[in-house]
Amino acid sequence: MKNVLEKDMNPDMLLKTEQLYEIVQPLLRWYHSQARILPWREDPTPYRVWISEIMLQQTRVEAVKPYFEHFITALPTIKDLADVPLDSLLKLWEGLGYYTRARNLQKAAQQIVACFGGTMPNDYNDLLSLPGVGRYTAGAISSIAFGQTRAAVDGNVLRVISRILAYHEDIMSAKVKLTIEQKLENILPAAQAGDFNQALMELGAMICLPKAAAKCPLCPLKQLCLAMAQNIVPYLPVKKAKKARRIEKRTILLFVESGRTALMRRPAAGLLASMWELPNLDGHIPEKSAFQYARSLGLIVKSITVLPAAKHVFSHVEWHMIGYQINLNPARNIAETKAAYATTQVAPLPQLHWAAKNELHADYAIPTAFKAYIDIFTK
């Protein structure tokens, strides 16, 4: 099998447009009878389609549903999204992850207000000019919300087409993605471009699953699938292996005083930009160093408890965390703690903010990476 997959093939010989025309009608019939009922499909306005597509990037449909409803209720218009305070926006997004998506949504909304009068542009190139909008998202908005014949090629679509055509090229290649996009645009049914794009995505999400999980007997295109005919479905699509995630060790400090815990703001750029987090330090530091660090902040330590280790996986980084709960003697002045920069060599000292349990959930957007330790405080 390996030799079959690795042999040299000319993509243009495989991606013949006429081979794809045959999938249009059976796929649409299947979609119209089997498509899931999803909140953004019920009323596919440009704004709703845009928000849903950004939320669905690297996030499961079932996880997105409650977030979508809550987000649209809180920010029903592009103008509302443009004007909402960043902390409030990040709080709405809390738990969805990949927070750059939320920040780009607001930047794009502000651009739409400034350049397009607060109305989502219907020109494909104008959509591409918006922060966080790439070819897939622009194609989805164009076809689903505006009825234009633009392809929307995501990972699900690449998997479906690779199998239908027994296509052995690396789908991580920008050239390959563009080739498939162009071929699909040649077969898009003009009156149902949005439905066809969603049908391909739906098939990839529900039937044409990765590797051996594919439900080929249920597929409406099984008679047209070359990969099924050749018994190579689990081996497609071909995808270049990702680089291994970088491992970072961190020590989480759960400062507790009079029912409050300390938070600090992350930098305005980089991973989890501008979000609130528990104080933490690079590396796995010993208990004695945690004690010294707390003292350097002007805090009066009563006791220290070692907390369980935890792990959190980002797209390119993996945090391996240890933690300490540092119980403090009551001291009203800790809310205005002035960092004594000269007293520690561990790390630059942060400005601490203090939050009670109820405030923690209501007012602060805290990344899921800290959930294990937040749960210890709020239980």
Side-chain angles (χ1 to χ4, degrees):
M1 188 63 63
K2 184 177 180 180
N3 291 335
V4 172
L5 293 179
E6 289 181 349
K7 69 182 182 179
D8 186 27
M9 295 189 179
N10 184 338
D12 290 328
M13 293 298 292
L14 289 174
L15 282 177
K16 297 293 185 182
T17 302
E18 54 268 24
Q19 291 178 265
L20 292 176
Y21 276 116
E22 297 181 50
I23 75 172
V24 175
Q25 292 309 316
L27 186 59
L28 284 172
R29 285 194 297 271
W30 172 82
Y31 178 72
H32 290 151
S33 65
Q34 302 293 326
R36 290 169 292 178
I37 296 174
L38 300 174
W40 45 89
R41 287 179 178 166
E42 299 303 293
D43 182 21
T45 64
Y47 181 59
R48 290 169 64 88
V49 171
W50 174 41
I51 298 301
S52 68
E53 290 298 340
I54 298 299
M55 285 187 170
L56 287 165
Q57 292 172 6
Q58 301 181 322
T59 307
R60 295 179 300 105
V61 166
E62 291 306 313
V64 166
K65 282 182 183 179
Y67 282 95
F68 176 81
E69 299 280 18
H70 185 49
F71 191 98
I72 292 295
T73 299
L75 305 174
T77 70
I78 292 174
K79 182 67 164 55
D80 293 325
L81 174 55
D83 292 343
V84 67
L86 180 59
D87 275 347
S88 298
L89 175 62
L90 294 176
K91 187 64 181 175
L92 283 171
W93 202 267
E94 185 181 29
L96 267 178
Y98 301 98
Y99 289 87
T100 299
R101 295 181 296 173
R103 286 185 285 271
N104 280 337
L105 273 175
Q106 182 164 60
K107 291 175 185 176
Q110 291 166 347
Q111 183 173 322
I112 293 169
V113 169
C115 301
F116 303 104
T119 300
M120 180 72 72
N122 62 7
D123 180 81
Y124 180 80
N125 289 320
D126 287 341
L127 289 170
L128 283 178
S129 75
L130 300 175
V133 175
R135 298 184 69 86
Y136 162 74
T137 305
I141 297 170
S142 296
S143 61
I144 299 169
F146 295 117
Q148 298 172 6
T149 51
R150 289 283 184 176
V153 178
D154 68 353
N156 284 325
V157 173
L158 289 168
R159 184 168 59 254
V160 170
I161 298 304
S162 292
R163 288 172 172 174
I164 291 294
L165 298 174
Y167 187 50
H168 297 73
E169 297 297 316
D170 176 16
I171 63 167
M172 301 305 291
S173 160
K175 181 180 179 181
V176 168
K177 291 179 183 178
L178 184 59
T179 298
I180 291 177
E181 179 184 309
Q182 291 170 340
K183 294 298 182 181
L184 285 174
E185 287 192 347
N186 287 329
I187 69 163
L188 281 174
Q192 300 184 76
D195 280 1
F196 181 77
N197 283 335
Q198 291 181 92
L200 277 175
M201 292 181 242
E202 189 83 343
L203 190 70
M206 302 300 294
I207 303 295
C208 197
L209 299 172
K211 300 182 180 179
K215 303 175 182 179
C216 296
L218 302 178
C219 181
L221 305 180
K222 59 180 179 287
Q223 302 301 327
L224 303 171
C225 180
L226 295 181
M228 186 175 178
Q230 297 173 26
N231 197 29
I232 58 173
V233 168
Y235 302 93
L236 293 174
V238 173
K239 185 187 297 186
K240 184 178 180 180
K242 294 180 180 179
K243 292 182 179 179
R245 293 189 189 95
R246 183 175 73 256
I247 303 298
E248 292 185 357
K249 295 180 178 180
R250 304 201 72 78
T251 299
I252 311 302
L253 304 176
L254 182 63
F255 293 123
V256 177
E257 186 271 348
S258 301
R260 301 182 296 170
T261 193
L263 300 174
M264 63 186 193
R265 178 84 79 172
R266 287 186 65 83
L271 183 67
L272 305 175
S274 300
M275 299 192 71
W276 293 100
E277 65 178 354
L278 293 174
N280 60 92
L281 301 169
D282 291 335
H284 288 171
I285 68 170
E287 184 176 330
K288 181 178 179 181
S289 296
F291 174 82
Q292 292 172 340
Y293 183 69
R295 289 290 300 273
S296 76
L297 295 173
L299 304 177
I300 304 171
V301 178
K302 182 166 59 176
S303 64
I304 297 181
T305 303
V306 177
L307 300 176
K311 182 174 75 172
H312 187 78
V313 176
F314 299 95
S315 56
H316 303 297
V317 180
E318 191 169 308
W319 280 4
H320 290 188
M321 297 171 281
I322 64 169
Y324 300 104
Q325 178 169 322
I326 303 178
N327 301 302
L328 306 172
N329 283 319
R332 292 302 302 168
N333 65 345
I334 64 173
E336 295 83 32
T337 296
K338 302 299 182 181
Y341 287 91
T343 63
T344 183
Q345 301 297 317
V346 178
L349 298 172
Q351 176 65 49
L352 299 180
H353 299 261
W354 296 85
K357 293 180 181 181
N358 61 326
E359 295 171 333
L360 203 63
H361 291 302
D363 301 331
Y364 297 91
I366 301 174
T368 307
F370 298 94
K371 183 178 186 303
Y373 298 102
I374 292 293
D375 287 349
I376 290 171
F377 175 66
T378 58
K379 69 180 180 181

